[in-house]
Amino acid sequence: MTVMDDWVTAACAELGLDPAEVPVPAVLDLAKDVAHQVIRPGAPVSAYLLGLAVGRGADPAGAAARLSALAGSWPVELGADPADPTAS
C-alpha cells in the first residue's frame, strides 16, 4: 500500500465510506488539470464540487471528465492573474 492508499482508507473509515468507491486517479487528474490550466486554488474547490455532484447522483468518472474538459478548454485570458500570489 502507498501513503495515498493508507490515507484514503483511513479517511473513508472516518466518514463511513467505501474506499473502493473513491476514484483517486480521476480526482488527482482533475485537480492537476484545474491547477495547471485554470488556477491552483481551483483544484481543491473543483474536487469538492465533484464530490457534491457525485453525492447527488453523478457518475464519478463522467463528472471528473467533464470538469477536466472544461479546464482544458478554459480561455487563457480568463486564467490566473500573474500578479495574484495565490495564482498557479
Side-chain angles (χ1 to χ4, degrees):
M1 281 191 120
T2 66
V3 173
M4 178 64 78
D5 294 331
D6 292 343
W7 168 250
V8 170
T9 299
C12 284
E14 187 68 26
L15 299 173
L17 301 171
D18 179 359
E21 295 180 4
V22 180
V24 173
V27 174
L28 294 176
D29 286 345
L30 168 62
K32 175 192 64 156
D33 292 344
V34 173
H36 293 163
Q37 298 174 34
V38 182
I39 188 168
R40 183 163 291 151
V45 174
S46 298
Y48 177 79
L49 294 173
L50 174 64
L52 286 178
V54 170
R56 293 179 181 172
D59 170 65
R66 289 173 49 202
L67 288 175
S68 287
L70 178 63
S73 69
W74 198 253
V76 174
E77 64 272 9
L78 294 179
D81 177 358
D84 181 355
T86 64
S88 62

